[in-house]
Amino acid sequence: MRVLGLETSCDETGIALYDTERGLLAHRIYSQIALHAEYGGVVPELASRDHVRKALPLIHETLNEAGLTVKDLDGIAYTSGPGLVGALLVGACLGRSLAWALGVPSVGVHHMEGHLLAPMLEDTAPDFPFIALLVSGGHTQLVRVDGIGRYELLGESLDDAAGEAFDKAAKMMGLPYPGGPALSKLADSGDATRFRFPRPMTDRPGLDFSFSGLKTQVRTTILDCAVEGVLADQDKADIAACFQAAVVDTLAIKCKRAMQQTGVKRLIIAGGVGANRRLREQLQQTAESLKGQVFYPRPQFCTDNGAMIAFAGACRLLAGSAADLAVAVVPRWPMTELAPVDTLARPQGQQHG
């Protein structure tokens, strides 16, 4: 089954073609970073308009790379939530219209389920059950995964997501947009032991997160270090390093706790912050300390992309799920509401761990 995946939940237009017998055939990602940079954040109306401009050309490019045409498609998958409602509607309308014109089924995919299943795109993928750390600009969650659609929420952020905290801390330091990657890069040249930053909610039971206090700590430290309102370059680097270390330590501590409490020794990390090198290294050490394994997608599939939507959609289309003619999106959508399916659309012969 050849499935075209459309991702338009926020500010990346992601298109991919996934074959259930051959794997990922082609993909394209267009980022709107330059469009939103002057505003310091995503402007929903501008994001929607840019998806309209970019989606069809990217579909043609993806099909050309795979040497196929729209007539070779067997199904369409599109992100139907959560996300920005206008951006979601662009992908949903395009996906449903294309499916209707071709006479093939289509399915709306949960954006976070796409992230959760992204490690399945790699040659070696985890067997069920596993613990998933979903960590991005909009979500920070720990989920026990016993199968597709069989999700138990173990913990989540009570305020800001980790990626959101990265972006806001970077903005306070005057770093360029997007702030999270800029802060991580700056942290490489900083001293992570210079300032004492807390590891929020690690001194109490439970698996929930809170990152708002770390933002306050960043603001306080900036005010203490600035001279006549100006922060020296080394001060910035040291603050970035201390902030990143605090977030990474917190995530690692909670992941270790989740693995110990559930007895599940396989851990996956997905979402934009999953590309963070320090986080990957620390979670690798965490898993090894418990004689477990950690899995993650390649960095290009940590951020929003069409490949994860095409794969998740293929799993559900193979199970018989299909949307009707109505176009529906769900800006807020708990992943625990998804129906379970028993199909895993991976080519035979790929390894499991």
Side-chain angles (χ1 to χ4, degrees):
M1 178 181 237
R2 298 190 189 100
V3 178
L4 183 71
L6 313 176
E7 158 58 23
T8 64
S9 65
C10 191
D11 62 337
E12 270 103 14
T13 310
I15 308 295
L17 186 59
Y18 185 84
D19 189 316
T20 57
E21 296 181 359
R22 298 167 55 197
L24 184 63
L25 302 181
H27 70 97
R28 288 286 189 275
I29 301 174
Y30 175 79
S31 174
Q32 301 176 1
I33 286 176
L35 176 66
H36 301 288
E38 64 177 296
Y39 304 101
V42 177
V43 181
E45 180 61 26
L46 295 180
S48 302
R49 292 179 182 181
D50 215 43
H51 287 310
V52 172
R53 284 191 290 266
K54 300 298 183 181
L56 279 175
L58 288 175
I59 289 174
H60 290 306
E61 288 180 19
T62 304
L63 288 169
N64 288 339
E65 181 184 343
L68 301 173
T69 71
V70 291
K71 294 181 180 179
D72 296 307
L73 298 177
D74 300 306
I76 312 290
Y78 55 88
T79 305
S80 55
L84 302 175
V85 63
L88 290 168
L89 281 169
V90 174
C93 289
L94 178 58
R96 285 298 299 118
S97 300
L98 185 57
W100 180 82
L102 296 173
V104 300
S106 67
V107 65
V109 172
H110 193 290
H111 179 75
M112 297 309 295
E113 181 172 69
H115 276 303
L116 185 149
L117 297 177
M120 300 289 184
L121 293 166
E122 305 305 320
D123 290 336
T124 301
D127 287 325
F128 301 114
F130 55 79
I131 302 297
L133 172 66
L134 302 177
V135 56
S136 66
H139 299 81
T140 300
Q141 297 178 330
L142 276 169
V143 182
R144 176 179 172 134
V145 180
D146 290 299
I148 298 177
R150 295 178 172 88
Y151 308 132
E152 178 188 357
L153 181 63
L154 302 175
E156 61 184 338
S157 179
L158 303 179
D159 39 58
D160 291 344
E164 183 181 5
F166 264 92
D167 289 339
K168 289 180 178 178
K171 190 171 186 179
M172 284 187 272
M173 287 189 283
L175 301 181
Y177 177 86
L183 187 149
S184 295
K185 183 177 180 180
L186 181 62
D188 290 339
S189 58
D191 178 1
T193 65
R194 179 180 171 187
F195 304 108
R196 189 181 181 88
F197 277 35
R199 275 53 176 168
M201 297 184 70
T202 58
D203 59 348
R204 67 188 74 174
L207 295 170
D208 287 329
F209 303 89
S210 173
F211 297 106
S212 60
L214 282 175
K215 292 187 308 177
T216 303
Q217 186 76 33
V218 168
R219 169 60 68 187
T220 301
T221 307
I222 289 173
L223 293 175
D224 289 343
C225 293
V227 178
E228 296 182 356
V230 178
L231 195 63
D233 290 343
Q234 191 57 52
D235 290 336
K236 284 186 181 181
D238 292 345
I239 294 171
C242 292
F243 172 81
Q244 177 176 258
V247 174
V248 168
D249 284 350
T250 300
L251 293 172
I253 290 168
K254 295 288 183 158
C255 284
K256 184 174 184 177
R257 188 178 295 176
M259 295 171 74
Q260 290 173 324
Q261 290 181 4
T262 61
V264 176
K265 297 301 176 67
R266 286 179 290 267
L267 173 69
I268 72 122
I269 175 174
V273 182
N276 183 284
R277 178 181 56 82
R278 180 178 171 85
L279 179 60
R280 287 185 174 222
E281 292 173 352
Q282 194 145 334
L283 288 179
Q284 183 73 42
Q285 295 171 7
T286 297
E288 289 176 354
S289 72
L290 298 174
K291 295 181 169 54
Q293 296 172 284
V294 62
F295 301 83
Y296 32 71
R298 68 200 82 167
Q300 64 184 315
F301 294 146
C302 286
T303 54
D304 295 349
N305 63 88
M308 67 182 193
I309 302 304
F311 176 76
C315 293
R316 292 195 170 272
L317 286 169
L318 282 177
S321 300
D324 57 24
L325 284 176
V327 175
V329 297
V330 190
R332 296 183 180 275
W333 187 7
M335 196 166 58
T336 51
E337 294 180 357
L338 294 174
V341 300
D342 294 320
T343 53
L344 186 60
R346 282 174 54 82
Q348 291 184 357
Q350 289 192 349
Q351 298 178 354
H352 290 261

